[in-house]
Amino acid sequence: MSGNIPGGRIEAALQLSGGAQNRAVLESWQRCEQRFGLAHDTLRRPEVISESQTRQLRDRNGRLYHHAHDLVRTLYRKIDASGYAVFLTDNSGVILDSVAAHSLLPSFRTNGLLPGAVWSEEREGTNGIGTCIVEGRPITIHKDEHFLAQHSVLTCTAAPVFDPDGKVCSVLDVSAVREDIKRPDCLRVRGMVADYADALERILFFDERAGDVIVHLHPDARHVGSTRDAMISIAPDGTISGATSTARRILAACDNSADIADMFEMDVDNLIAKLASPDGQGPSATPLNIAGGGVLFGSVTIPQRMRRRYVGRSTPVARKAPTLPARRTTDIPDTDAALRRIFEIGTRLHAKDINVLMSGETGSGKEYLARHIHDATLGKSKAFVAINCAALPEGLIENELFGHAGGAFTGAARDGFGGRIREANGGTLFLDEIGDMPLAAQGRLLRVLESRTVEPLGSTKSVPVDFRLICASNVDLNAAVAEGKFREDLLYRIKGARLAVPPLRERSDLADLIGRLLAALSDEYVACSDDVLTLLTAHRWPGNVRELINVLQYAAVFAEDGVIGPHHLPDDFVAMQDVAPPSPGQTIARAEADALRQVLDDQQWHISNTAKALGIGRNTLYRRMARLGINRR
């Protein structure tokens, strides 16, 4: 580097932990000086684009911003040391979202860390965000390692988020303006940021490649289907359409071929048939020979629209596969694509101990999904404690949740009561209808979530608890916060990720669900006639699955010949079918929804391609789908 850098600056930058970090900073400084023409002592105001431009960038990165919003806030809560802020950028280093303590906002803004600020390496020199984009790996830029002297008060740790094509699409960054931070302090932060960036990459991968076959790979059979596996997506034409970061390392070992046959020494149909089980999902793990030597274990996720092509085919196995250790089920029987996607994402988040908040109409199956997510992640041997916050009287809910000490109040148990939260220790706590929890109980719950201890009523002794949390609500909690009915800090605590459960009327597997429910409700064979099936599939189901179960229970009792006819249905259900015809507005909305679904089907539910075909932006498409009640698959 040239001699215009004062003595001590370059030496300080090179006193780093590790050769890779040393090389990254040195090469970044060379770029700053030789390519960008920056000088270390330049004082410049941060470049901040306008609020309207920032909104436009968020719209263009709609999928990223939507999925990352809650992860950014969860990461912020996980970093327990004070003084840190978390930032999300686009692929050019523009900050799209941030979260920091209110008291520290002026300090971060003074140093140019705010939404709309441009932190490319070309603009701000060596820095966590910009250098991370160039390097394509997690990195810490600590104080004097920044090229511009004005940034030497900052410590920035960043990790890249990759799209399915292997390009950096975003950066997660944790920064601090603190004098007492030492480089070793950043190791824990860097590991955490990298984990969250990886989680965001996997969520985006599933969303972007929802219409493709996804192959899961890992050298260890026990990790296939976990958050540690590598994922490769296969397009309908049989080519590799995308891969996660881990999978790209496998592809690199196979000369980055886009041909499945070059990688696995078999064509696509034989590969999927080998991995697919009779129900369309992969077995626990199947050994696969890799071109050039070596064995990986794999499983497969097949989109609903492609299952008929592969499910039930004989599996071409040249030799007997080795017996693999038994593994608990990680599947649900439902075939609706939207529901399966929610289960898949929820399971992966729950495995990372990221809080999940489910939204959806009453009776849509939120507890059902929560229980299956728990079983897939922790197993049925672990406690699953479900509490309906709306069903508990206000005066008893704190006692039910937190327990009480012996003699804490009149009528209290002599030996005390541990409370439902303590029952969930080591397992999952499911809080249903959490929007109906009284404010006083919300405050106590927040303290439990922050301290991971529970203090029974009438006691001064705190008991440590360790559980994973899933919450559900049928009301808009953001609106409840605005109305003063729900604590904002609690909302951000429980909303690690939001999953919208589709109502029954929007599910594509209603006929299959009816068959499964009838099999469970009756010891004898019971089926619906074609006329009844038409009535049931056309019904709007305001009570969702609960209403469907009630109707089927009633009808099954009177279907003595094993076939449910229209005359076996409850009178009030039949009466609902005789309502007035839909209004012109309803007819138009249904026609618009049908037309949009057709375009989505034509584009295999690829959001970007659908938006392009319609000549609109992705966020506009998301809003139109929400207005018409269309859930993404």
Side-chain angles (χ1 to χ4, degrees):
M1 301 184 71
S2 71
N4 70 343
I5 297 178
R9 285 273 296 160
I10 183 66
E11 289 79 4
L14 295 180
Q15 291 174 1
L16 309 172
S17 57
Q21 174 84 13
N22 186 308
R23 176 200 57 77
V25 174
L26 179 60
E27 292 181 357
S28 175
W29 278 41
Q30 290 172 338
R31 285 191 299 270
C32 293
E33 185 185 34
Q34 299 169 9
R35 188 189 306 176
F36 306 140
L38 299 176
H40 81 282
D41 55 356
T42 300
L43 292 176
R44 61 197 309 180
R45 295 174 62 85
E47 179 183 351
V48 183
I49 64 177
S50 68
E51 188 175 343
S52 62
Q53 290 175 309
T54 304
R55 284 199 301 269
Q56 290 173 4
L57 272 183
R58 288 171 180 160
D59 286 344
R60 286 204 294 270
N61 293 274
R63 179 185 280 109
L64 166 69
Y65 186 72
H66 170 77
H67 288 303
H69 182 272
D70 294 329
L71 277 178
V72 166
R73 282 144 185 83
T74 303
L75 175 57
Y76 174 72
R77 293 192 297 270
K78 291 286 185 180
I79 298 175
D80 51 12
S82 61
Y84 286 102
V86 180
F87 302 92
L88 174 80
T89 80
D90 68 357
N91 59 1
S92 61
V94 179
I95 296 177
L96 301 177
D97 194 13
S98 66
V99 58
H102 184 74
S103 61
L104 298 178
L105 287 177
S107 176
F108 284 111
R109 290 180 177 274
T110 298
N111 286 279
L113 288 165
L114 69 161
V118 181
W119 277 86
S120 65
E121 204 177 59
E122 180 179 3
R123 168 70 197 180
E124 297 296 338
T126 306
N127 70 87
I129 293 170
T131 306
C132 176
I133 292 174
V134 175
E135 286 288 313
R137 63 179 180 84
I139 194 169
T140 295
I141 303 299
H142 180 57
K143 299 188 186 242
D144 281 343
E145 294 166 9
H146 287 84
F147 183 83
L148 296 183
Q150 70 185 56
H151 296 327
S152 61
V153 297
L154 298 175
T155 295
C156 306
T157 298
V161 180
F162 294 93
D163 65 18
D165 296 323
K167 299 176 182 177
V168 176
C169 65
S170 175
V171 168
L172 272 179
D173 174 81
V174 173
S175 293
V177 186
R178 284 172 49 190
E179 292 293 334
D180 61 328
I181 295 181
K182 308 299 182 185
R183 167 162 283 283
D185 300 336
C186 304
L187 294 177
R188 181 186 70 89
V189 174
R190 187 160 65 187
M192 194 176 299
V193 174
D195 282 346
Y196 274 76
D198 180 65
L200 181 56
E201 176 190 353
R202 296 177 71 88
I203 293 171
L204 291 170
F205 185 88
F206 271 103
D207 196 4
E208 182 73 22
R209 294 294 183 257
D212 294 348
V213 170
I214 296 178
V215 177
H216 306 259
L217 301 167
H218 199 279
D220 189 332
R222 294 171 298 177
H223 296 315
V224 174
S226 74
T227 56
R228 300 181 183 181
D229 68 16
M231 295 189 293
I232 296 173
S233 59
I234 304 174
D237 63 0
T239 59
I240 295 176
S241 61
T244 58
S245 304
T246 308
R248 291 193 176 279
R249 292 195 285 272
I250 298 174
L251 293 174
C254 298
D255 299 324
N256 290 312
S257 174
D259 190 343
I260 286 294
D262 291 341
M263 184 174 180
F264 296 105
E265 299 179 338
M266 66 178 77
D267 62 23
V268 173
D269 284 353
N270 281 333
L271 172 67
I272 298 175
K274 181 172 183 175
L275 297 178
S277 60
D279 62 357
Q281 298 299 302
S284 296
T286 298
L288 296 168
N289 292 320
I290 304 300
V295 174
L296 290 176
F297 292 90
S299 66
V300 66
T301 300
I302 304 176
Q304 177 67 28
R305 60 182 176 78
M306 298 179 65
R307 286 191 187 163
R308 289 185 180 179
R309 178 178 174 183
Y310 296 108
V311 176
R313 291 185 48 177
S314 60
T315 302
V317 181
R319 56 189 174 84
K320 184 177 180 181
T323 302
L324 298 173
R327 188 165 177 244
R328 62 175 177 264
T329 180
T330 56
D331 201 5
I332 53 175
D334 308 81
T335 59
D336 177 75
L339 207 66
R340 295 191 67 84
R341 178 175 167 275
I342 290 171
F343 169 74
E344 177 68 31
I345 293 175
T347 300
R348 293 178 182 274
L349 293 172
H350 199 56
K352 282 287 188 181
D353 196 12
I354 296 175
N355 295 339
V356 173
L357 173 61
M358 294 185 184
S359 60
E361 298 177 4
T362 298
S364 56
K366 298 185 288 294
E367 181 175 347
Y368 165 85
L369 276 170
R371 189 175 293 275
H372 276 276
I373 288 171
H374 163 84
D375 290 347
T377 304
L378 300 180
K380 294 183 178 181
S381 63
K382 299 292 185 179
F384 178 85
V385 177
I387 301 171
N388 188 328
C389 300
L392 295 173
E394 184 170 348
L396 296 179
I397 189 168
E398 291 193 57
N399 176 57
E400 184 76 9
L401 287 173
F402 312 111
H404 63 260
F409 51 85
T410 302
R414 184 178 62 181
D415 297 327
F417 169 59
R420 303 299 305 281
I421 289 179
R422 289 173 64 180
E423 291 177 9
N425 192 45
T428 299
L429 177 66
F430 175 66
L431 298 178
D432 197 9
E433 310 301 359
I434 192 171
D436 292 313
M437 179 179 288
L439 283 170
Q442 291 177 31
R444 288 180 62 91
L445 175 62
L446 181 62
R447 288 193 294 275
V448 171
L449 298 179
E450 290 177 339
S451 66
R452 289 292 166 169
T453 60
V454 61
E455 186 176 297
L457 298 175
S459 172
T460 58
K461 182 180 179 181
S462 295
V463 181
V465 288
D466 179 23
F467 58 85
R468 302 187 185 187
L469 180 68
I470 302 177
C471 296
S473 177
N474 66 342
V475 299
D476 185 347
L477 292 181
N478 288 311
V481 168
E483 296 169 2
K485 297 178 180 178
F486 200 82
R487 293 180 60 125
E488 184 177 23
D489 48 3
L490 178 59
L491 175 59
Y492 286 129
R493 173 65 71 175
I494 67 175
K495 194 177 62 173
R498 290 173 294 183
L499 299 177
V501 180
L504 181 58
R505 60 183 171 275
E506 294 180 6
R507 288 179 54 168
S508 60
D509 63 343
L510 180 55
D512 178 66
L513 176 61
I514 290 171
R516 286 192 289 111
L517 289 176
L518 283 174
L521 291 172
S522 177
D523 294 332
E524 300 178 355
Y525 175 80
V526 180
C528 294
S529 67
D530 291 342
D531 290 343
V532 168
L533 197 57
T534 300
L535 287 173
L536 295 179
T537 53
H539 187 55
R540 298 294 291 169
W541 298 109
N544 291 293
V545 179
R546 290 177 188 168
E547 181 188 3
L548 174 61
I549 291 174
N550 290 337
V551 169
L552 294 179
Q553 280 180 324
Y554 179 97
V557 171
F558 296 99
E560 297 176 354
D561 58 353
V563 179
I564 297 175
H567 56 289
H568 295 135
L569 297 173
D571 292 342
D572 57 348
F573 178 84
V574 176
M576 292 180 68
Q577 312 310 308
D578 299 326
V579 298
S583 66
Q586 291 173 321
T587 302
I588 293 173
R590 289 182 185 178
E592 184 181 0
D594 291 341
L596 181 53
R597 284 194 183 93
Q598 183 60 55
V599 178
L600 286 163
D601 286 338
D602 293 342
Q603 300 297 329
Q604 300 169 3
W605 285 77
H606 190 292
I607 298 298
S608 296
N609 291 349
T610 302
K612 188 179 297 183
L614 294 172
I616 59 178
R618 286 186 298 182
N619 268 24
T620 301
L621 176 58
Y622 284 136
R623 288 192 292 269
R624 188 172 297 179
M625 291 169 65
R627 175 172 59 82
L628 296 173
I630 300 175
N631 280 342
R632 287 175 292 163
R633 293 181 183 173

